[in-house]
Amino acid sequence: MKLATYRNHTRDGQLMVVSRDLSQALAVPHIATSLQAALDDWSRCEPALQEVYAALNQGTVNAAVSFDQSACHSPLPRAYQWADGSAYLNHVELVRKARGAEVPASFYQDPLMYQGGSDTFLPPHADIPLADVSWGLDFEGEVAVITDDVPLGSQAGDCATHIRLLMLVNDVTLRNLIPAELAKGFGFFQSKPATAFSPVAVTPDELGQAWQDSKVHLPLRVEYNGKLYGQPQCGVEMQFNFAQLVAHVAKTRALAAGSIVGSGTISNHDRATGSCCLAEQRMIEIIEQGAPVTPFMQPGDQVRIEMLDAAGHSIFGRIDQKVIAHD
């Protein structure tokens, strides 16, 4: 099943059921007005939403409208929780190697994770405002899951059953603000502005065989300024799967329905697959050339993030964002 949220001048938007081919959509206020409302009552709403989804795919819904990705907000315009991991340790290894540091052994057994701002997200086709180019604006292509209620202390095996939906992510980052923030010992804050998610969230079964072991086994495609920048495989080098990441969050707290947990930047050891962020390419340049060459984003730059199925069809729709100067 595929779900989206249209902007409608309310904080949580209007829930839309979207056809598999992303051509048709239907509002379902008789089932749930928003995605959060559906997640709050998933056992009741999910079967009804599936019925609408089946009818959309069969072309038997007369009230359906053409699906407009530009009308979408992120599937959850705001969320109770946004916790982002760093499950692809090749990314961490490159960053550490560039500054001559080893990766601590604990990183391979215990996930890295930070708590992002979740009170407001960017729509997937919204501009990214940048007040100061010296802050080092970067995109980060990721995958994320949305959970239902996860009890405190849930183990990874149980957490897999609490994953309800998947989305793509642009985890917008201000790289040059990170060092000073981390030096304070309290982690990211100003360096992590509003995040954007894909137009569509999908249930895991939509991925078929590409969803195994709580991982997505497909490449994530990132285009930067009209050119392919990277398409690393999401499943091959994910140190911690999504069930393990959710369990990491649940170790000391319960998760409310509508909590979002991210994978961190998709990254492969095979450099031929490219990168999902500018920082990774800059780290490679430091390692190989002694200094970075690739600049961070400037007003006018554009990033597109998308995932295609084996037949070349878009699964989640496309994140498509430009940078604008913000006073």
Side-chain angles (χ1 to χ4, degrees):
M1 180 167 57
K2 299 191 176 186
L3 303 173
T5 295
Y6 271 9
R7 300 192 301 275
N8 68 348
H9 307 294
T10 68
R11 290 186 183 272
D12 295 309
Q14 181 179 55
L15 176 63
M16 307 290 291
V17 182
V18 182
S19 61
R20 181 171 288 114
D21 64 1
L22 305 183
S23 67
Q24 301 291 304
L26 182 70
V28 286
H30 61 290
I31 301 174
T33 56
S34 69
L35 179 55
Q36 182 60 56
L39 289 161
D40 286 338
D41 195 9
W42 191 252
S43 61
R44 179 188 68 82
C45 293
E46 192 267 345
L49 292 170
Q50 286 284 9
E51 287 185 12
V52 174
Y53 183 61
L56 272 177
N57 290 328
Q58 293 164 6
T60 59
V61 180
N62 294 329
V65 298
S66 295
F67 179 52
D68 182 5
Q69 295 190 37
S70 66
C72 290
H73 209 304
S74 286
L76 287 171
R78 55 179 178 170
Y80 289 110
Q81 176 79 259
W82 162 225
D84 198 17
S86 189
Y88 295 87
L89 292 187
N90 179 63
H91 178 74
V92 179
E93 290 165 355
L94 285 172
V95 172
R96 292 269 174 161
K97 186 175 180 180
R99 66 172 191 252
E102 294 291 328
V103 177
S106 63
F107 283 23
Y108 295 90
Q109 286 82 43
D110 192 35
L112 291 168
M113 189 164 287
Y114 80 92
Q115 190 169 42
S118 61
D119 53 331
T120 179
F121 296 129
L122 291 174
H125 286 201
D127 295 330
I128 303 171
L130 177 61
D132 190 334
V133 294
S134 71
W135 291 346
L137 179 65
D138 198 357
F139 55 85
E140 291 191 59
E142 307 182 12
V143 179
V145 299
I146 302 175
T147 73
D148 61 9
D149 292 304
V150 182
L152 168 67
S154 295
Q155 300 300 303
D158 295 324
C159 288
T161 67
H162 291 288
I163 294 171
R164 294 294 176 227
L165 297 163
L166 295 101
M167 305 182 290
L168 305 184
V169 188
N170 180 15
D171 180 33
V172 182
T173 303
L174 300 171
R175 298 289 185 184
N176 291 339
L177 299 185
I178 290 177
E181 287 204 302
L182 294 184
K184 295 177 181 179
F186 259 44
F188 302 128
F189 192 83
Q190 290 180 333
S191 53
K192 290 291 187 177
T195 304
F197 296 90
S198 52
V200 172
V202 311
T203 49
D205 61 286
E206 283 295 317
L207 298 178
Q209 292 301 307
W211 176 252
Q212 296 183 41
D213 188 30
S214 297
K215 299 179 183 179
V216 177
H217 294 268
L218 287 168
L220 183 67
R221 182 181 178 88
V222 176
E223 295 180 7
Y224 185 45
N225 290 334
K227 297 181 180 179
L228 179 63
Y229 194 78
Q231 49 183 352
Q233 290 286 338
C234 296
V236 296
E237 294 171 62
M238 191 179 189
Q239 184 74 14
F240 306 99
N241 66 24
F242 279 110
Q244 292 169 314
L245 293 174
V246 173
H248 181 79
V249 181
K251 181 176 180 178
T252 60
R253 69 185 75 181
L255 281 73
S259 292
I260 304 172
V261 179
S263 66
T265 307
I266 313 300
S267 181
N268 292 168
H269 285 95
D270 181 4
R271 294 182 182 175
T273 64
S275 300
C276 284
C277 68
L278 298 172
E280 188 167 297
Q281 182 59 38
R282 287 168 60 89
M283 295 306 103
I284 293 171
E285 292 164 355
I286 291 172
I287 294 166
E288 296 181 349
Q289 305 171 35
V293 176
T294 300
F296 287 120
M297 300 183 82
Q298 308 285 318
D301 287 341
Q302 181 180 34
V303 61
R304 292 173 174 168
I305 300 172
E306 192 169 20
M307 182 175 285
L308 307 179
D309 64 18
H313 302 135
S314 181
I315 300 171
F316 300 88
R318 176 187 287 176
I319 297 173
D320 190 345
Q321 298 183 283
K322 288 185 178 180
V323 180
I324 60 167
H326 175 72
D327 292 330

